[in-house]
Amino acid sequence: MNSSDIKGVQKHVATIIDGAAVAARLHSDLKRAVENLAERGLTPGLAVVLVGNDPASSVYVRNKVRRSVEAGFRSFHHELPSTTGEKDLLCLIDRLNAADDVDGILVQLPLPAHIDAQKVTAAIDPKKDVDGFHPINVGKLSLGDSASVPCTPLGCMLLIREARSRLAGLNAVIVGRSNIVGKPLAQLLLRENCTVTIAHSKTEDLPSVCRRADILVAAVGQLELVRGEWIKPGATVIDVGINRVERDGRRKLVGDVDFASASAIAGALTPVPGGVGPMTIACLLRNTIEAACRRHGVASPIES
Ligand code: GUN
């Protein structure tokens, strides 16, 4: 927490949680882990599958492939046209499941409407499911068993730990109940003994619910929904939103939190861009290394 002195008036300014810096640290640790595994004859392999040409998904997939190559992985990149049938996609997944040099499989979501995403997710070998979306891994997370944990919630947890060393007993409020972020993050916070609330579009008096949070996570995809007056003074605020807007004739990324008003109240806050976003790919690479080690019965060089 900081304060800035403007014309003699002390004004509170939240500490910025620098996701880009934390992710850069993680990438260099992961690169070292891959070098260590290579000395033992193991090179992790990651297959990334994109169906269609959604511009945002194309950017995410390109970055995932680039980062995996930089980390020293074997990278397998499959780009399929938007007209690809569900059967053809399931055939590709079968081949990737059977391929010995593939340790992790990621099918970028959302998929075109004619493909059943749940069926596709369930077709991935749970041992290669580095997204943590397979029903078996979802179940393991809720049971507290070890399994791949979805990348964005894992990134959120690592950033929360940057701001808070003790989480037990804190009130955590997550705005958004998606399978990709809200629900798995609730499990991770529960595992840390937080008192967890998941708020959503039907929640009554959302501002009051948010004001109870010591840890507030916004993951709804609504531009600057959470404002300073919704935040408990000193709270840790994690902004998962990535909303593309045009302001002053320029295209910008803006979060689900109104950064200006939130930074005057929160204790610590993630920016957009440069907060949760960079963590997601780092966590994907981490999950892939862990999956490779589990598949090959090798001790993981990554510290938990
Ligand atoms: N689309 C948005 N986030 C994700 C993610 O974490 N994994 C996959 N596979 N698709 C996504």
Side-chain angles (χ1 to χ4, degrees):
M1 226 182 284
N2 303 303
S3 32
S4 66
D5 193 340
I6 300 171
K7 291 184 188 157
V9 180
Q10 285 284 311
K11 188 171 174 285
H12 168 81
V13 183
T15 299
I16 304 304
I17 308 173
D18 186 348
V22 178
R25 243 175 21 228
L26 197 49
H27 279 295
S28 84
D29 291 350
L30 296 175
K31 200 158 190 281
R32 237 175 301 120
V34 174
E35 284 161 6
N36 174 302
L37 288 175
E39 283 165 16
R40 292 190 266 158
L42 177 58
T43 300
L46 174 64
V48 178
V49 181
L50 174 67
V51 185
N53 43 22
D54 174 72
S57 291
S58 298
V59 172
Y60 294 142
V61 162
R62 217 176 306 132
N63 286 335
K64 285 169 185 177
V65 170
R66 179 175 58 83
R67 282 294 193 173
S68 66
V69 170
E70 283 169 5
F73 284 25
R74 275 198 190 96
S75 175
F76 306 90
H77 184 188
H78 295 267
E79 287 208 1
L80 308 177
S82 57
T83 50
T84 302
E86 186 178 282
K87 228 167 132 190
D88 288 337
L89 180 57
L90 292 172
C91 274
L92 171 61
I93 290 171
D94 279 349
R95 275 196 282 127
L96 296 172
N97 282 341
D100 195 43
D101 48 3
V102 173
D103 297 294
I105 302 170
L106 178 142
V107 178
Q108 185 67 26
L109 302 177
L111 286 166
H114 66 277
I115 298 178
D116 181 344
Q118 284 196 21
K119 203 165 165 185
V120 170
T121 301
I124 295 172
D125 179 345
K127 294 190 181 67
K128 295 190 177 187
D129 166 36
V130 283
D131 259 327
F133 294 166
H134 190 286
I136 286 184
N137 291 328
V138 174
K140 282 187 171 180
L141 178 62
S142 72
L143 291 171
D145 282 358
S146 76
S148 279
V149 170
C151 304
T152 302
L154 181 56
C156 291
M157 288 306 295
L158 296 175
L159 294 183
I160 291 167
R161 288 215 197 95
E162 286 288 307
R164 302 249 184 192
S165 50
R166 288 165 59 91
L167 300 183
L170 296 181
N171 283 325
V173 174
I174 303 162
V175 186
R177 56 177 154 181
S178 71
N179 292 334
I180 293 182
V181 184
K183 288 182 204 166
L185 182 56
Q187 295 292 350
L188 293 173
L189 287 162
L190 199 54
R191 208 187 256 192
E192 297 291 339
N193 298 309
C194 290
T195 303
V196 182
T197 303
I198 304 182
H200 47 76
S201 55
K202 300 285 187 291
T203 297
E204 284 185 16
D205 196 359
L206 184 58
S208 297
V209 173
C210 290
R211 267 192 296 271
R212 292 203 296 266
D214 302 300
I215 297 167
L216 178 61
V217 181
V220 268
Q222 281 193 46
L223 183 71
E224 296 173 334
L225 173 76
V226 175
R227 297 188 304 273
E229 60 274 24
W230 292 26
I231 295 170
K232 179 176 177 177
T236 299
V237 179
I238 305 292
D239 190 351
V240 184
I242 302 178
N243 305 288
R244 288 170 170 77
V245 296
E246 196 157 321
R247 275 195 187 148
D248 308 324
R250 296 179 62 190
R251 300 170 93 192
K252 278 187 74 176
L253 291 183
V254 179
D256 290 350
V257 177
D258 174 37
F259 188 86
S261 63
S263 65
I265 308 289
L269 172 64
T270 60
V272 177
V276 175
M279 295 297 292
T280 304
I281 296 181
C283 290
L284 169 68
L285 302 189
R286 178 176 151 149
N287 280 353
T288 307
I289 294 173
E290 300 276 13
C293 291
R294 274 197 297 269
R295 278 188 69 235
H296 292 88
V298 169
S300 170
I302 298 172
E303 287 168 30
S304 54

